[in-house]
């Protein structure tokens, strides 16, 4: 029983729901939380329920299903039975697994948790590490003036579906960490997510001084110092925890730069295990480290003043890593010599990884420009940041009606394999089934809201009870959803640009439209909070009252209801600041359609058959004139396309154009923008090859063969001694081959890749390698190629870059020499 209630598999697999209902129907209905249901039911009631033969049978069946689920052959075990990958360690500041474990703020936690769940479905071995925040992220209340109030209810660990990590003797496990000011203690907790495990650390150990105990109180609260301390606990404490518990993952996956200290602690553990210098262990650790960046603007990077790093990390760096603090600081700097430069966690992550990716195709591009300064003279497109577009864990976000429909066409285990054929199955669905599912899902949302609106929307203030207007939502209205963080770049007020034009739309009785909104603004973000106020005031306009509702306290549970029920999901960020965005993906499985700026995932997902797009696909910064253009376009799309398609019905009452879009959006986009696809892509593109590389390096060092360490030293030290002599690119008609003369200086020529390079034509790279033909006098070497050059010969120039088996170029060796 306890095992079932503590396995967060229940957040997406509802097979045991009947069991919990039979134990305490009221509590279950209210919380939908098995752990609360189990632990809050009075002992006598529980005993009575458990003696019931039906309940007994349900327990037995649920346990059997769990056993089957854990033992079944998975995508990973089937496809990679001999894999060298035994475990991936996944680090993230936040995880949005369930309302039952509120240790998240938004998108980043969503990505982390959905991937963890998909890894469990697919059998990819992942152990995750995060922090247990006593208060999580703030909760929101709206005052009668329309201002946001931040509340911090306490997460009592006893009510969370987690358990303390225990020692073999059954004692609470505590991790001791030496600091300059003495020993501090970290407590460790464990959450089970199907096959995956999530460890959570907190500092609230009674024997710690108060300043230490507060480190893990709030997520994204406090100042830079608190953030640094949290990141130290997550990275250093987190890796050490895994190590002490016996985990030896080949892969360390850093979900955003926050966790980058983990890479250093990992190297320290390797140095200790193999008895080698830290600098060598760093190179081994690096082979198995993947960094996923989520930021689209430089201001999004975590930056720490050098003084702060010195005061908090000198002890760790010098005593633990054996690294002078100035060298430590250099790891987070663009220019190691610049002692004023702040310490950039993303740079540390870059310098600790053998692979880096952004979270959508567009964000990959943006990230290459952000990180270009680390790779001077490299063409931007070769800056080593690729992309894996995010996806959402479909079973977490689907409605009951959508789940039924998908089960009918594709069976129960449909999200556990490769998703092949799912699109075709959807294309066979008739309009009637799709439309019925949509209407049932919309009604489900309105039903859920009508139940919880009274408590969600009301506050008791100086003037007594006050409630946000409770709308009269209609089951037949086009229901538009907009919910996300209220940050300026997301332009939550774009649709309010011309209020009267929006009001005209809302007042049309023949084509009823309603808008459901929610979102929090960071307590320090005054502009974001002003936008909330603007919306709350708008909702109270007499002429449209009841048609627009702002729901207080956006959270995962509300997000689930909204994405299941709405017809249209609206997203209006300023391109290219939405790195990926995930909320729009959540409506796909439910047959909701997207109207969004061409940014993040929508920039690659949009075609006219699946929804609507705003913007011209270019960047306009914060230009108010473009906001105006975008707003006009938004109204035009709503007036001329969205509403007509939704309200144009045939004799059966079905909007055929709309259902056609639903079908295409579900068929084409749901599989592609699922966490299932994302995790398979991470596994095949990164986890598997990096784990090979990691094992090789770990091994190489053991037999102390001439290794990457010496060779990268050689490249570093010798690069400036490299010379390019004469380069000859004869006319194509001459029948002669291009050739060149190189002096490798102190570098072994085997480590050099001599190439003719031209700017790509239509995205197609034009890089032609030259091979070594003859060693000449004084160390000069002749190179040649007989490959035909594409395009004009004058496009080409010679360049040399490092090359070496197993070396990550240019991440580990950002050297490049150009002829001109
Ligand atoms: C999905 C989700 C997010 C992320 O939404 P974006 O539109 O990608 O910013 C944030 N908060 C909650 C509660 C969510 O469910």
């Amino acid at each position: 029983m306890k095992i079932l209630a503590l396995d967060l598999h229940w957040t997406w697999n509802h097979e045991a729901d009947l069991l919990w209902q039979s134990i305490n129907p009221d509590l279950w209905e209210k919380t939908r939380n098995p752990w609360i249901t189990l632990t809050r039911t009075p002992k006598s009631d529980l005993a009575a329920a458990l003696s019931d033969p039906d309940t007994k049978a349900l327990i037995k069946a649920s346990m059997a299903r769990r056993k089957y689920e854990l033992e079944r052959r998975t995508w990973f075990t089937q496809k990679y039975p001999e894999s060298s990958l035994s475990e991936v360690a996944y680090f993230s500041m936040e995880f949005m697994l369930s309302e039952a474990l509120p240790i998240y703020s938004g998108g980043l936690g969503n990505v982390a948790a959905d991937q963890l769940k998909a890894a469990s479905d697919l059998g990819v071995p992942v152990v995750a590490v995060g922090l247990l925040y006593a208060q999580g992220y703030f909760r929101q209340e709206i005052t009668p003036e329309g201002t946001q109030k931040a509340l911090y209810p306490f997460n009592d660990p006893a009510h969370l579906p987690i358990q303390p990590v225990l020692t073999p003797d059954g004692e609470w496990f505590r991790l001791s960490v030496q600091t300059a000011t003495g020993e501090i203690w970290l407590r460790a907790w464990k959450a089970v997510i199907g096959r995956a495990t999530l460890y959570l650390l907190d500092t609230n150990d009674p024997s710690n001084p108060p300043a230490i105990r507060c480190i893990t109180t709030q997520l994204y609260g406090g100042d830079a110092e608190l953030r640094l301390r949290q990141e130290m606990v997550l990275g250093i404490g987190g890796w050490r925890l895994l190590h002490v518990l016996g985990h030896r993952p080949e892969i360390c996956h850093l979900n955003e730069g926050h966790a980058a200290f983990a890479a250093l602690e990992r190297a320290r553990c390797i140095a200790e295990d193999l008895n080698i210098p830290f600098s060598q262990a760093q190179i081994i650790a690096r082979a198995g480290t993947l960094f996923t960046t989520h930021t689209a603007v430089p201001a999004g990077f975590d930056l720490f003043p050098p003084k702060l790093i010195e005061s908090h990390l000198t002890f760790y760096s010098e005593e633990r890593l054996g690294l002078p603090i100035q060298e430590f600081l250099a790891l987070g700097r663009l220019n190691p010599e610049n002692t004023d430069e702040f310490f950039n966690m993303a740079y540390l992550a870059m310098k600790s990884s053998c692979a880096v990716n952004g979270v959508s195709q567009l964000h990959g591009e943006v990230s290459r420009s952000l990180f270009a300064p680390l790779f001077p003279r490299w063409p931007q497109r070769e800056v080593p940041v690729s992309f894996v577009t995010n996806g959402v864990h479909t079973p977490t976000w689907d409605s009951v009606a959508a789940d039924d429909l998908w089960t009918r066409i594709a069976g129960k285990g449909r999200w556990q394999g490769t998703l092949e054929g799912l699109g075709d199955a959807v294309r066979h669905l008739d309009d009637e089934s799709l439309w019925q599912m949509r209407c049932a899902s919309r009604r489900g949302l309105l039903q859920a809201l009508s139940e919880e609106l009274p408590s969600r929307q009301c506050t008791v203030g100086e003037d007594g009870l006050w409630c946000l207007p409770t709308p009269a939502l209609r089951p037949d209205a086009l229901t538009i959803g907009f919910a996300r963080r209220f940050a300026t770049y997301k332009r939550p007020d774009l649709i309010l640009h011309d209020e009267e034009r929006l009001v005209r739309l809302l007042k049309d009785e023949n084509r009823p439209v309603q808008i459901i909104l929610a979102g929090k603004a960071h307590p320090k973000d005054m502009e974001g909070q002003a936008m909330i106020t603007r919306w709350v005031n708008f909702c109270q306009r007499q002429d449209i009252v009841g048609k627009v509702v702002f729901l207080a306290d956006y959270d995962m549970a509300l997000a689930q209801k909204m994405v299941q029920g709405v017809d249209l999901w609206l997203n209006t960020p300023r391109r290219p600041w939405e790195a990926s965005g995930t909320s729009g993906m959540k409506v796909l499985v439910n047959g909701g359609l997207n109207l969004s700026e061409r940014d993040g995932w929508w920039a690659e997902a949009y075609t006219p058959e699946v929804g609507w797009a705003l913007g011209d696909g270019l960047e306009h910064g914060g230009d108010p004139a473009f906001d105006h253009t975008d707003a006009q376009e938004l109204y035009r799309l709503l007036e001329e396309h969205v509403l007509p398609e939704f309200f144009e019905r045939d004799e059966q009452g079905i909007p055929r154009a709309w259902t056609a879009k639903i079908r295409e959006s579900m068929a084409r986009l749901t599989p592609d923008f699922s966490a299932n696809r994302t995790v398979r892509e991470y596994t095949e593109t990164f986890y598997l090859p990096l784990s090979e590389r990691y094992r090789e390096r770990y091994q190489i060092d053991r037999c102390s063969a001439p290794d990457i360490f010496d060779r990268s030293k050689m490249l570093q030290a010798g690069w400036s001694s490299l010379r390019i002599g004469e380069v000859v690119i004869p006319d194509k008609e001459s029948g002669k081959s291009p050739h060149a003369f190189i002096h490798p200086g102190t570098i072994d020529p085997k480590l050099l890749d001599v190439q003719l390079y031209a700017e790509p034509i239509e995205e197609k790279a034009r890089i032609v390698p030259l091979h070594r033909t003859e060693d000449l006098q004084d160390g000069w070497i002749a190179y040649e190629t007989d490959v035909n050059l594409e395009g004009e010969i004058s496009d080409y120039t010679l360049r040399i870059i490092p090359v070496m088996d197993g070396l990550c170029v240019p991440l580990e060796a950002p050297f490049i020499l150009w002829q001109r």
Side-chain angles (χ1 to χ4, degrees):
M1 267 304 250
K2 204 168 144 183
I3 291 179
L4 284 174
L6 283 169
D7 185 344
L8 288 161
H9 196 224
W10 56 253
T11 58
W12 74 96
N13 180 311
H14 298 285
E15 290 187 340
D17 284 9
L18 271 183
L19 167 62
W20 308 117
Q21 190 173 17
S22 76
I23 286 172
N24 189 335
D26 286 349
L27 196 53
W28 168 248
E29 272 314 315
K30 230 189 252 144
T31 64
R32 291 268 158 178
N33 178 333
W35 182 241
I36 299 280
T37 305
L38 185 65
T39 52
R40 300 281 97 185
T41 300
K43 280 216 169 63
S44 52
D45 294 0
L46 191 60
L50 292 182
S51 64
D52 178 71
D54 289 348
T55 307
K56 274 190 192 154
L58 281 169
I59 296 177
K60 209 167 148 212
S62 300
M63 288 303 284
R65 271 197 300 263
R66 178 167 192 272
K67 186 163 180 289
Y68 165 79
E69 176 56 34
L70 291 179
E71 290 171 359
R72 80 180 153 81
R73 292 192 65 194
T74 62
W75 169 79
F76 185 74
T77 48
Q78 244 161 326
K79 190 153 183 206
Y80 299 103
E82 311 278 312
S83 142
S84 62
L85 177 69
S86 72
E87 196 166 57
V88 176
Y90 188 97
F91 282 73
S92 180
M93 271 296 260
E94 45 166 315
F95 290 88
M96 183 166 85
L97 288 155
S98 159
E99 227 15 77
L101 188 54
I103 51 168
Y104 67 86
S105 153
L108 188 73
N110 178 210
V111 164
D114 277 17
Q115 284 178 23
L116 203 52
K117 291 171 180 175
S120 171
D121 289 341
L122 291 163
V124 178
V126 176
V127 58
V129 182
L131 297 178
L132 181 66
Y133 304 97
Q135 298 174 339
Y137 195 57
F138 81 95
R139 311 301 303 253
Q140 180 191 55
E141 200 178 75
I142 302 291
T143 73
E145 295 74 38
T147 41
Q148 160 181 294
K149 237 164 83 182
L151 306 172
Y152 294 91
F154 178 64
N155 287 332
D156 188 338
H159 298 164
L160 305 176
I162 57 174
Q163 292 282 282
V165 175
L166 300 178
T167 67
D169 308 330
E171 307 278 341
W172 274 36
F173 175 89
R174 298 152 90 215
L175 194 66
S176 146
V177 183
Q178 278 302 327
T179 69
T181 51
E183 189 173 43
I184 65 166
W185 293 94
L186 304 180
R187 304 193 301 181
W189 308 82
K190 183 176 166 171
V192 176
I193 300 102
R195 276 188 185 69
T197 300
L198 166 63
Y199 289 108
L200 297 169
L201 285 168
D202 84 63
T203 52
N204 192 18
D205 190 290
S207 50
N208 286 332
I212 301 295
R213 292 184 65 178
C214 291
I215 293 177
T216 53
T217 303
Q218 291 175 5
L219 169 61
Y220 304 143
D223 54 8
E225 179 176 18
L226 183 69
R227 176 66 75 86
L228 177 63
R229 289 176 158 203
Q230 289 186 335
E231 296 185 1
M232 289 168 66
V233 173
L234 174 65
I236 302 171
W239 192 274
R240 196 170 302 174
L241 174 75
L242 291 181
H243 197 76
V244 171
L245 296 178
H247 291 268
R248 293 294 180 271
E250 292 86 14
I251 301 297
C252 172
H253 186 167
L254 304 171
N255 188 41
E256 192 51 299
H258 308 132
F261 293 134
L264 299 178
E265 180 61 14
R266 180 188 199 188
R268 192 195 66 77
C269 293
I270 293 174
E272 199 173 270
D273 283 356
L274 298 181
N275 198 15
I276 56 173
F278 175 73
S279 53
Q280 220 154 326
Q282 263 182 305
I283 290 187
I284 297 176
R286 185 166 190 171
T289 305
L290 166 65
F291 168 40
T292 299
T293 173
H294 293 259
T295 309
V297 280
F301 292 137
D302 259 334
L303 292 172
F304 296 116
K307 276 230 158 2
L308 197 61
I309 297 284
E310 281 173 31
S311 60
H312 285 76
L313 282 148
T314 301
F315 177 85
Y316 176 70
S317 179
E318 301 194 342
E319 302 296 318
R320 298 285 143 196
L321 308 182
L323 202 62
I325 189 67
Q326 287 309 322
E327 283 180 37
F328 186 99
L329 279 161
L331 291 170
R333 281 181 177 149
L334 183 60
N335 174 4
E337 262 95 66
N338 179 1
T339 51
D340 293 330
E341 190 181 326
F342 276 33
F343 188 90
N344 184 326
M345 291 299 283
Y347 287 174
L348 173 64
M350 287 294 276
K351 293 182 189 191
S352 307
S353 301
C354 244
V356 182
N357 72 285
V359 288
S360 69
Q361 189 174 4
L362 177 61
H363 181 243
E365 254 169 64
V366 171
S367 302
R368 284 192 285 281
S369 79
L370 290 183
F371 288 111
L374 286 175
F375 303 89
R377 293 179 299 281
W378 281 81
Q380 188 159 309
R381 85 185 66 82
E382 289 179 69
V383 169
V385 184
S386 56
F387 72 92
V388 175
T389 304
N390 283 335
V392 292
H393 184 250
T394 26
T396 294
W397 300 102
D398 57 3
S399 67
V400 174
D403 181 36
D404 287 347
L405 189 69
W406 285 88
T407 305
R408 209 173 83 207
I409 58 168
K412 275 259 172 235
R414 63 188 177 276
W415 306 119
Q416 295 173 342
T418 59
L419 314 185
E420 248 168 282
L422 277 187
D424 289 336
V426 173
R427 286 203 179 88
H428 286 119
L429 278 169
D430 52 49
D431 292 347
E432 285 72 14
S433 308
L434 287 169
W435 188 238
Q436 271 165 21
M437 181 270 281
R438 278 302 321 139
C439 293
S441 298
R442 189 185 319 109
R443 277 195 306 273
L445 167 65
L446 301 191
Q447 174 66 25
L449 291 185
S450 70
E451 281 162 20
E452 64 178 65
L453 271 176
S455 59
R456 187 179 273 279
Q457 300 298 86
C458 295
T459 54
V460 180
E462 282 168 20
D463 304 323
L465 185 71
W466 177 82
C467 300
L468 269 163
T470 329
L473 296 172
R474 296 173 53 156
D476 59 343
L478 167 70
T479 306
I480 302 178
F482 183 100
R484 51 186 44 81
R485 237 164 6 99
F486 270 51
T488 325
Y489 82 84
K490 296 203 181 229
R491 296 189 296 188
D493 54 355
L494 189 73
I495 198 177
L496 290 179
H497 189 79
D498 181 348
E499 276 190 27
E500 299 314 315
R501 193 159 168 191
L502 177 62
V503 167
R504 276 201 298 281
L505 269 185
L506 290 166
K507 278 166 66 176
D508 183 347
E509 285 305 319
N510 297 320
R511 302 195 300 189
V513 177
Q514 55 203 8
I515 308 180
I516 301 177
L517 298 129
K520 306 186 204 172
H522 191 279
K524 286 187 182 153
D525 177 4
M526 291 306 153
E527 274 185 71
Q529 290 178 54
M531 291 191 280
I532 292 177
T533 307
R534 183 162 179 208
W535 267 114
V536 172
N537 291 337
F538 183 75
C539 293
Q540 297 180 71
R541 260 181 77 138
Q542 277 315 312
D543 49 353
I544 50 118
V545 82
K547 294 182 176 160
V548 182
V549 53
F550 185 94
L551 299 169
D553 199 29
Y554 184 45
D555 65 5
M556 182 181 181
L558 180 58
Q560 282 171 314
K561 291 172 191 138
M562 287 181 71
V563 299
Q564 290 169 9
V566 300
D567 298 293
L568 185 74
W569 192 255
L570 193 64
N571 191 17
T572 50
R574 283 200 176 111
R575 178 174 159 131
W577 291 340
E578 181 94 314
S580 161
T582 50
S583 57
M585 302 175 188
K586 299 170 191 166
V587 305
L588 299 171
V589 66
N590 296 303
L593 298 178
N594 281 277
L595 190 177
S596 169
E597 185 74 25
R598 285 170 219 258
D599 193 12
W601 77 284
W602 194 240
E604 68 199 79
Y606 167 73
T607 61
E609 298 82 43
V610 296
W612 298 272
L614 275 180
D616 54 6
L618 298 174
E619 280 86 56
H620 299 271
D623 181 5
F626 193 72
D627 290 347
H628 177 79
T629 309
D630 255 0
Q632 299 305 320
E633 180 63 4
L634 174 57
Y635 296 124
R636 193 188 68 81
L637 284 175
L638 289 170
E639 290 160 355
E640 294 176 14
H641 294 274
V642 176
L643 270 77
E645 283 183 36
F646 187 84
F647 287 105
E648 189 171 310
R649 308 292 166 90
D650 66 2
E651 291 100 72
Q652 282 90 44
I654 294 183
R656 300 284 167 185
W658 191 274
T659 45
K661 276 208 170 70
I662 294 178
R663 184 181 298 104
E664 204 48 30
S665 161
M666 283 172 76
R668 202 188 297 173
L669 304 184
T670 311
D672 276 0
F673 296 93
S674 68
N676 168 302
R677 190 270 308 145
T678 308
V679 170
R680 281 184 292 122
E681 205 173 322
Y682 273 117
T683 304
E684 296 185 324
T685 320
F686 296 120
Y687 298 163
L688 289 167
L690 289 185
S691 79
E692 294 279 338
R693 198 174 280 205
Y694 172 77
R695 282 177 176 262
E696 273 163 28
R697 285 196 194 175
Y698 201 93
Q699 231 48 54
I700 282 171
D701 192 81
R702 277 201 175 148
C703 16
S704 58
D707 60 51
I708 296 219
F709 186 66
D710 289 338
R711 297 201 207 173
S712 30
K713 276 261 153 79
M714 177 193 262
L715 286 169
Q716 169 97 42
W719 197 259
S720 60
S721 67
L722 193 58
R723 295 278 174 279
I724 297 176
E726 194 188 1
V727 179
V728 182
I729 308 180
D731 271 340
K732 287 183 181 171
E733 292 74 37
S734 74
K736 296 198 182 106
S737 306
H739 57 278
F741 302 94
I742 304 301
H743 196 297
T746 57
I747 298 178
D748 178 350
K750 286 201 196 73
L751 302 182
L752 301 176
D753 193 354
V754 180
Q755 312 172 329
L756 285 172
Y757 171 93
E759 289 293 310
I761 303 179
E762 291 171 6
E763 308 275 306
K764 217 171 131 246
R766 291 190 290 167
I767 297 176
V768 176
L770 274 66
H771 53 262
R772 189 171 169 180
T773 51
E774 199 180 347
D775 289 3
L776 308 166
Q777 274 181 350
D778 302 329
W780 285 90
I781 306 173
Y783 284 80
E784 191 180 276
T785 180
D786 44 20
V787 173
N788 271 334
L789 303 184
E790 269 187 57
E792 301 294 319
I793 57 169
S794 58
D795 293 352
Y796 285 84
T797 173
L798 189 98
R799 70 175 195 178
I800 308 177
I801 60 172
V803 63
M804 179 161 82
D805 245 11
L807 186 74
C808 307
V809 178
L811 264 174
E812 290 185 288
F815 314 115
I816 191 163
L817 181 67
W818 294 90
Q819 168 199 356
R820 54 182 154 87

